[in-house]
Structure formats: C-alpha cells, structure tokens
Amino acid sequence: MKKIVMMVMIVTLILTSLMGCSKEDTPASDNDKKSGTSTSADKKTEKNIVLKFIMTTEGEEEKFINKALEEEFYPDNPNIKVEIETVPFSELDKKIVTAHTGNVVYDIIYTNHPSVGTFADAGIIANLDEYIKNSDIDLKNDYNTSFSDSAQYKGSQYAMPYETDTRVLAINKKLFDEAGLETPKTIEDMLQAAKVLTKDTDGDGKNDQFGMIMDFGNMWYPTYDLGQWLLGNGSHLYIQDGDSYVQEINTQGAKDFLVWAKEMSKYQPEDFVSYDGTKITSSFAQGKVGMFVFGPWHFHDPILIEAKDLEYELITNPVGTKKSGASMGGWHIAMGANSKYKDEVWKVLEFLSNPEINAKTATSIPPIYESYNYPPFNDEKYDIFAEQLKTAEVPNPPIPQLSKVAETWNNYFQRYILDDITLDEALKEAATDIQGILDKK
C-alpha cells in the first residue's frame, strides 16, 4: 500500500545535527552536460559506472524499474548500471540520514514528499534546476503542479516527481441502493448517508452497519484521508508566505471541517478508536460500512480483491464548502548531493520521467498527465483518479516541521472528536501550537 511516509522523530533529531554543516551543492555546468562527460577527474577514466539507488520495499517499483532499465536504458547506456537497495518503509528515512552522516553515498534516492525539505536542508539531495532547464521536461504543464512543487525547497527543484497517491471515495452500492440513497455530491450528502446507513441489522440492539469509520491509529488521517475535506473547505494546516510559514487552522474552513467530522463520528462503531487501517478495510469489504476513503493501492489490496460479494463504486470526493478537495502524497526520485556521477544520475532520472516509462514502473498512479495514455493506467478503472488528480493537492508545503505539525493537529482533532476539548479551544490552541512549531528554524 502506498501511504505517505511519516518522518519519524529520530530522523528529525539526527538531521538537526546536520543542518549547521550542510553545504549547497552545485549542478554540473552547461558545458559538462553538453559534452556528456562527468565533472570529476576520476570519473573520466572509469569505463563502467555503478549507481547506488536506495528505495523502499513497498510496492513492486524495484521489479518494474529494473525491467525497464534492462530493456530500454542499458542498451543505450552500456557503461551505466543501477544497483537498487531496498529498505522497509518505516526505516527508509533513517537509513538515508545515517548513511549521509557516515559518508555512505547513494547516487539516487527514493524520497517521500514530506522529506524533500529535510533532505535538501541537510545537503543529502542535489539541486536539479540546471539539469531541468537544459532538458525537455515541463514540470508546470505536464505534471500535477502541486505534486511537482512538493519536490521543491526554497524555490529550487530537488527531485523529480515519480508517483503519487491521491484518494477518492468508495461507496457500497448495495447499501446505498437498498437505502434509496443517491451518490453523495457534498459533505452534507455524506453526513445524511451516514445517518441512514448506520443501524442495527440483526436485531440485537446494537448497530452493526455504519456510515464511515475514522482511522484514529493513523496520525496523518485528519491531514490526508479525512483531511481531504479540510482542503475541500479551502483550508490547510499552514501555507507559505514568502520565506515564512503561517498556520491556517483558526479559520472558518477548519471550523466547518471539525464540526462536520464530529457529526460524522457519531455514525461509526462505539469502539472505533480500536480500528486500524486493516480492520477498517475489512469492515468495508464485509459490507458493514457505506463509505470508505479509497487510494489506488487498494486495487492491489488482497482484502478487497477477495471480497467477491462486495459491489462498490468510486466517485470523486464530495464537495466541501469550496470545492472537491483531494489530498495527494507520494514519492520523488532525487540525486544524491555527494554523488560523483551526477550527469549519469540525471540520465536515469530523465529516463524514469518519460511518460511511458513512468506508466510502466509506477505502482500507485503517475503525476504525469500523459502517462494515463499508456498501460496499465489507460484502463478505465484509473479514470476516476485521473479526474480527481485535476483538483488534488499536496496538503502542506514539505518542510522539516511537517511531521510535528501533523502530529499536533491530530492530537487536537482527536481530543475534539472525543469531547475532551471544545471547538474554540481546539482551533485556538492548535493554531498557537502549530505556529510555534512553524516559527522554529
């Protein structure tokens, strides 16, 4: 399953010690790129170059990337080989940081979008501005710009967008049809559907069918999953204002979101806090839940694949007070700042940024619009994601403080849902705490 990577606190602590000693990297000169030669003397005498590529074990990208390299890259670049090292999802950022600290060089770095600012600030990944300027890549017109911008730091591009993971809404067609409900178009429609669908179906006096279940075990849930309707209300956790970042919590959009979320929370199991992502997916697969936040990774989820009697429909996210919001996260591919082979690395990045190659190797969904003309993404089941991608956005700029901001927001969100704090207290205290985090350099 493709999820947003959570920047664990230990990574942030390690990186803090690096900030003072990082230095700006310089891309190869125009003359170097035109000649196709490498910039350091020891590279010019080397016949075969091995590029070390670190990435996560999640998904099948490693297999598909290796296949594409073998069939379509190596024949034209016989002196370049790519050696992929895979690391578990939960350990990737820590591995990248500790390798950098220990002067272990990775030439190509699979970078989760929240980590771009952290890695760039620490001097782990390289500035790609000059390479992109001298290529045919058009990030502004050919890509979802919110996602391509999430690979920027301080106005410069530090990675190439590779695959994203926007979400849509799945509805149980059988439950909706039996209840005489129309497809929800707005968040108010979702709330009404949740009320109607939540009931006792076996006569034991306890509800066993529900509108929707919140994932309280996922700290990113009110930012990305349910947080889509925060975006739909025109609000974010914070926005960029010049060189500063400003909280956007104490706003009408965030207030409306919290009020709606609390109403929605009434139509889920009493013990919903014990439900994790797997249990929520299983409940939807068993026909016990009417609505479910669905990502492209769910096409490959064995729980849903094995649910032969489940009939569901995917729809674009119902409109909030402003629009049909959709969150997106995902992965970029970056150049190691300390790589000796930057020109060769760029060849690989450029290759993987080809729309057809991107379609062949990405296992979530591509951020490149043209990639949807190629298999497997030209399958009609991906049409809904291509449509939602038009309004999808990265919820917040990727800065080193993002993980802490999301954790803080989740804390106030949960406290409000559980009646531990009032609405005004949640908004004001969250705004104060988040601004305090943003102000820390």
Side-chain angles (χ1 to χ4, degrees):
M1 177 191 299
K2 289 289 172 196
K3 291 183 177 177
I4 335 272
V5 168
M6 299 164 231
M7 287 194 294
V8 291
M9 297 305 297
I10 189 169
V11 173
T12 305
L13 290 170
I14 294 172
L15 280 170
T16 300
S17 67
L18 294 175
M19 301 307 178
C21 59
S22 64
K23 55 186 178 181
E24 195 74 27
D25 57 276
T26 304
S29 68
D30 290 347
N31 289 336
D32 287 334
K33 285 193 280 296
K34 289 174 184 175
S35 68
T37 60
S38 301
T39 56
S40 59
D42 60 337
K43 287 189 290 183
K44 295 178 181 177
T45 60
E46 206 164 338
K47 294 181 180 178
N48 295 310
I49 293 169
V50 177
L51 303 177
K52 294 178 65 177
F53 184 171
I54 185 168
M55 67 185 306
T56 180
T57 54
E58 284 206 355
E60 297 183 283
E61 288 86 355
E62 178 195 8
K63 179 176 73 175
F64 294 140
I65 289 174
N66 272 327
K67 186 173 188 291
L69 290 170
E70 289 285 351
E71 295 178 354
E72 302 183 58
F73 181 80
Y74 292 151
D76 295 327
N77 300 276
N79 67 314
I80 303 174
K81 297 298 176 187
V82 178
E83 185 179 275
I84 297 179
E85 176 185 345
T86 57
V87 178
F89 169 84
S90 61
E91 300 174 16
L92 181 63
D93 277 16
K94 181 181 177 182
K95 174 81 173 185
I96 291 168
V97 172
T98 54
H100 179 74
T101 307
N103 295 317
V104 175
V105 175
Y106 287 106
D107 302 285
I108 307 172
I109 299 174
Y110 202 58
T111 305
N112 204 359
H113 81 277
S115 302
V116 170
T118 306
F119 289 173
D121 207 37
I124 295 174
I125 57 178
N127 187 319
L128 299 179
D129 285 349
E130 287 301 314
Y131 287 104
I132 294 169
K133 187 173 92 172
N134 288 284
S135 75
D136 294 326
I137 293 171
D138 186 350
L139 291 172
K140 293 300 180 186
N141 294 305
D142 296 341
Y143 288 73
N144 174 286
T145 53
S146 179
F147 190 62
S148 63
D149 286 352
S150 75
Q152 293 184 5
Y153 183 63
K154 294 184 177 179
S156 289
Q157 198 77 22
Y158 275 85
M160 291 304 300
Y162 177 63
E163 65 177 353
T164 186
D165 56 6
T166 194
R167 299 144 177 81
V168 295
L169 187 68
I171 61 171
N172 184 309
K173 281 294 293 175
K174 179 182 177 183
L175 298 186
F176 268 74
D177 290 346
E178 287 177 349
L181 290 167
E182 298 290 331
T183 300
K185 300 290 195 301
T186 68
I187 54 175
E188 290 305 316
D189 293 341
M190 288 180 68
L191 182 55
Q192 181 58 33
K195 291 178 182 178
V196 173
L197 293 172
T198 301
K199 59 184 178 180
D200 172 17
T201 64
D202 59 12
D204 68 352
K206 295 181 179 180
N207 289 334
D208 49 43
Q209 178 178 293
F210 306 97
M212 194 166 152
I213 305 177
M214 297 181 182
D215 187 357
F216 260 39
N218 176 4
M219 86 166 192
W220 296 92
Y221 186 74
T223 300
Y224 282 88
D225 299 87
L226 199 68
Q228 297 187 117
W229 289 284
L230 178 65
L231 299 175
N233 285 359
S235 290
H236 305 75
L237 300 188
Y238 59 89
I239 57 174
Q240 186 167 1
D241 182 13
D243 293 332
S244 301
Y245 297 93
V246 182
Q247 65 79 24
E248 206 179 47
I249 292 300
N250 201 5
T251 60
Q252 188 62 46
K255 181 177 181 178
D256 291 342
F257 167 74
L258 285 178
V259 171
W260 170 79
K262 190 161 188 173
E263 284 299 306
M264 286 291 292
S265 73
K266 297 176 181 178
Y267 306 106
Q268 56 184 345
E270 290 183 2
D271 62 341
F272 75 93
V273 294
S274 68
Y275 281 60
D276 61 10
T278 299
K279 191 172 181 180
I280 294 170
T281 304
S282 295
S283 296
F284 182 71
Q286 293 163 15
K288 297 179 180 179
V289 181
M291 293 172 284
F292 176 78
V293 177
F294 192 103
W297 58 87
H298 285 116
F299 285 133
H300 313 290
D301 192 320
I303 295 173
L304 295 178
I305 292 172
E306 293 168 10
K308 304 302 182 184
D309 296 330
L310 176 65
E311 182 185 353
Y312 65 87
E313 178 185 357
L314 301 181
I315 63 172
T316 53
N317 291 321
V319 175
T321 58
K322 299 293 185 182
K323 61 180 180 178
S324 172
S327 63
M328 63 194 311
W331 298 91
H332 304 304
I333 301 183
M335 175 188 295
N338 293 327
S339 174
K340 295 191 298 180
Y341 308 112
K342 287 186 170 68
D343 289 351
E344 290 76 15
V345 170
W346 176 247
K347 286 185 177 181
V348 176
L349 267 58
E350 202 169 22
F351 171 75
L352 293 174
S353 299
N354 174 284
E356 186 173 6
I357 299 301
N358 183 235
K360 288 180 179 179
T361 58
T363 63
S364 187
I365 58 173
I368 308 173
Y369 296 124
E370 189 182 337
S371 295
Y372 291 86
N373 295 327
Y374 301 101
F377 298 103
N378 58 357
D379 187 310
E380 63 180 12
K381 73 180 183 181
Y382 289 102
D383 289 351
I384 190 70
F385 287 100
E387 179 64 25
Q388 190 69 76
L389 199 64
K390 295 175 183 177
T391 62
E393 59 182 306
V394 175
N396 306 283
I399 59 175
Q401 303 98 306
L402 174 56
S403 180
K404 185 63 177 175
V405 168
E407 181 183 23
T408 301
W409 170 237
N410 182 57
N411 175 53
Y412 283 106
F413 171 81
Q414 292 192 3
R415 289 179 63 192
Y416 174 64
I417 297 298
L418 297 175
D419 292 322
D420 185 50
I421 194 171
T422 68
L423 177 62
D424 286 342
E425 288 171 339
L427 291 168
K428 291 177 181 178
E429 292 179 25
T432 299
D433 286 357
I434 287 173
Q435 190 60 54
I437 294 167
L438 295 173
D439 289 341
K440 291 181 179 177
K441 301 298 183 183

